[in-house]
Amino acid sequence: RDPVAGPTREGDPGTGREEDLGPPRDGACRDGARPGPTRWGICGAGHISHDFAVALKTLPPEEHVLLAVAARDLCRAQDFAQRHGVPRAYGGYQALAEDPDVDVVYVGTVNPQHLPVARLMLAARKPLLVEKPLGLNREEVQEAAELAQAQGVFLMEGFWTRFFPAWRRLQELLSAPPAEGALGEPLLLVASLGFDLRARARLREPALGGGALLDLGGYGLQMALALLGTPRDITARGCLHRTGTAG
């Protein structure tokens, strides 16, 4: 059994109504009709995928709908589908990649699976929104980006803070001329974000891509890069957990 692709059989449907999913978004509309909603698939049935499903439901159903969910364990996919009203549940990611009705896929698997799942979905020419981090290191991110470029497929890392109104306003103030209330050239950024890691075992396990940097540190780092530019050098200080991950 392929730990990423898994079996290709389809599970029992959830409680969603497929007849309400709208027409496919495959080109020109007939008779001037608007295209149907963007139909999402979700890879992974963990906590972050649950959060994404809840957030997706706050958007107008005529614009976005959740069509399918896939997990390595079919029962978990079916439970997720039942909970969120998802019409299709798959016991493996290959089936989701092959579903012709899925327009875009959100990847909410554990960190080490981001690149393998991205390879699978990009090979099937599925646009991807990958939960941060996009990869465990620079090499993984570069491979995913090159695959997306080669396939001509959309690929994005899921950093929700980039879309906060406050963040957009800050960028406007930084780019505005002095007469319009610009903040001037940023010289220092102080970022603080944290929670008790003891309650989340995966964050302490190197094999699961654990550690504070990949889970929380990315928020401050991506903001620093956006505001201050690429650094000439980096100095890092911190404490390591007994497993070797940054705590």
Side-chain angles (χ1 to χ4, degrees):
R1 164 175 171 149
D2 188 321
V4 175
T8 58
R9 65 191 179 97
E10 182 174 347
D12 295 332
T15 58
R17 299 176 57 195
E18 281 196 68
E19 63 268 24
D20 294 336
L21 295 179
R25 303 170 61 92
D26 57 359
C29 302
R30 297 178 180 177
D31 302 324
R34 297 179 61 185
T38 298
R39 298 166 300 182
W40 287 82
I42 289 183
C43 263
H47 179 77
I48 194 65
S49 292
H50 283 281
D51 289 348
F52 183 81
V54 171
L56 196 64
K57 288 185 178 181
T58 66
L59 301 176
E62 64 272 15
E63 296 181 6
H64 296 274
V65 294
L66 183 50
L67 175 61
V69 60
R72 288 179 293 177
D73 180 82
L74 178 60
C75 290
R76 293 196 67 193
Q78 291 174 331
D79 289 344
F80 187 102
Q82 183 71 25
R83 178 175 178 181
H84 295 286
V86 184
R88 304 176 188 179
Y90 296 115
Y93 303 146
Q94 182 70 46
L96 181 62
E98 294 175 352
D99 189 328
D101 297 326
V102 172
D103 299 314
V104 58
V105 173
Y106 168 77
V107 179
T109 59
V110 293
N111 293 344
Q113 290 297 316
H114 287 184
L115 178 60
V117 172
R119 290 186 186 125
L120 180 67
M121 296 298 163
L122 291 173
R125 300 184 63 81
K126 293 292 187 188
L128 285 183
L129 174 63
V130 181
E131 181 59 43
K132 54 86 183 165
L134 185 55
L136 297 179
N137 49 52
R138 178 178 179 177
E139 288 73 22
E140 288 196 1
V141 172
Q142 185 171 353
E143 179 181 343
E146 290 176 351
L147 285 172
Q149 289 175 340
Q151 291 286 72
V153 176
F154 177 85
L155 170 66
M156 181 176 176
E157 185 177 38
F159 261 110
W160 68 329
T161 51
R162 294 172 182 165
F163 300 92
F164 285 0
W167 172 244
R168 292 184 174 182
R169 178 56 179 155
L170 177 59
Q171 290 180 308
E172 292 173 358
L173 292 174
L174 288 171
S175 60
E180 298 179 13
L183 297 181
E185 182 183 0
L187 301 176
L188 175 67
L189 171 68
V190 178
S192 179
L193 176 64
F195 60 85
D196 189 349
L197 299 182
R198 291 174 296 181
R200 305 192 181 188
R202 68 172 180 84
L203 297 180
R204 303 191 299 269
E205 298 300 327
L208 296 178
L213 181 61
L214 291 177
D215 196 80
L216 290 179
Y219 288 109
L221 286 177
Q222 65 94 16
M223 184 175 290
L225 291 172
L227 299 179
L228 304 177
T230 304
R232 290 189 296 270
D233 56 77
I234 298 176
T235 299
R237 298 177 182 176
C239 299
L240 295 181
H241 189 267
R242 56 180 175 77
T243 60
T245 59

